[in-house]
Amino acid sequence: MVKLESKLVTRRNKIGVLGGSFDPAHKGHLTISKEAIKRFGLRNVIWAITKKNPFKKKTHTRLDNRIRHWKKIIVSSKLVKVKFYEDTIKSNKTFDLINHISKNKKSKIYFIMGADNLIKFHKWYKWKLISQKCKIIVFDRHGYKKKSLNSTTYKRLNRESLKFIEFEKVNISSSQLRKIWYDLFN
């Protein structure tokens, strides 16, 4: 019985964070969230929306519309939460987000990203400190495996702080969805 209780306590304190502009959110986001919950025994995953990705020129959809769309996607999953932190923490930096979420010292944070983000992760604000504050889970994406495994970040971080996950991928992206929507409505 003691082993079972310690597993429950551990699960209760593991939180996944998937950040991004989610412009728009799609089935791939939900798939990797559920996979992270299953593989790492996470209590839940927080989708932390940003007004604008610092590495992109613009977002295409207003924030309130993206949040509404998100909630429709995750309605079937009670383990995924949608949150907007930027007004509270006055920043769109992942480092500041992780600091804010990890104020509860009992929680262990698992930062989730796609392999495409790993390629430029070494350019993120305080990227090495992010890897010290949380475990980074990288999900393979179609066409990005080789570049991500050769990235500066993958080569420099130890495998305790960064896990590369290969799984049955959903071959869709927000960019593809925006193009489809643009073609349909314009």
Side-chain angles (χ1 to χ4, degrees), residues 28-80:
H29 296 124
L30 187 57
T31 300
I32 65 172
S33 297
K34 288 178 176 180
E35 190 69 21
I37 288 167
K38 184 172 83 175
R39 287 192 187 209
F40 295 93
L42 306 179
R43 177 181 73 204
N44 63 2
V45 172
I46 299 168
W47 285 5
I49 192 167
T50 183
K51 286 181 186 174
K52 183 186 166 301
N53 180 325
F55 292 100
K56 293 182 180 174
K57 290 183 180 180
K58 66 177 184 170
T59 54
H60 299 273
T61 311
R62 288 186 4 209
L63 179 66
D64 57 336
N65 288 339
R66 285 184 277 148
I67 291 172
R68 267 195 299 281
H69 180 71
W70 270 19
K71 290 184 178 181
K72 288 178 187 174
I73 294 219
I74 65 164
V75 75
S76 66
S77 177
K78 291 181 169 58
L79 300 175
V80 178

Side-chain angles (χ1 to χ4, degrees), residues 15-19 94 97-98 109-113 121 124 130 134-138:
I15 299 170
V17 176
L18 178 61
T94 300
L97 172 66
I98 298 299
I109 308 295
Y110 291 73
F111 186 71
I112 304 164
M113 70 168 75
F121 189 71
W124 290 25
I130 293 170
C134 60
K135 184 174 281 278
I136 299 171
I137 303 170
V138 180

Side-chain angles (χ1 to χ4, degrees), residues 114-142:
D116 56 321
N117 285 310
L118 185 63
I119 296 165
K120 292 185 179 179
F121 189 71
H122 66 283
K123 295 181 179 183
W124 290 25
Y125 177 73
K126 297 189 178 185
W127 70 278
K128 287 182 184 174
L129 291 175
I130 293 170
S131 71
Q132 293 169 10
K133 293 185 162 285
C134 60
K135 184 174 281 278
I136 299 171
I137 303 170
V138 180
F139 280 90
D140 190 10
R141 281 192 66 186
H142 184 71

Side-chain angles (χ1 to χ4, degrees), residues 157-173:
L157 294 183
N158 68 50
R159 297 307 153 248
E160 286 303 309
S161 60
L162 187 146
K163 296 288 184 198
F164 189 87
I165 308 296
E166 296 183 59
F167 74 116
E168 181 129 1
K169 295 174 269 309
V170 177
N171 193 15
I172 189 88
S173 73

Side-chain angles (χ1 to χ4, degrees), residues 1-8:
M1 184 71 172
V2 173
K3 279 187 176 181
L4 180 61
E5 287 176 15
S6 69
K7 279 188 176 184
L8 291 174

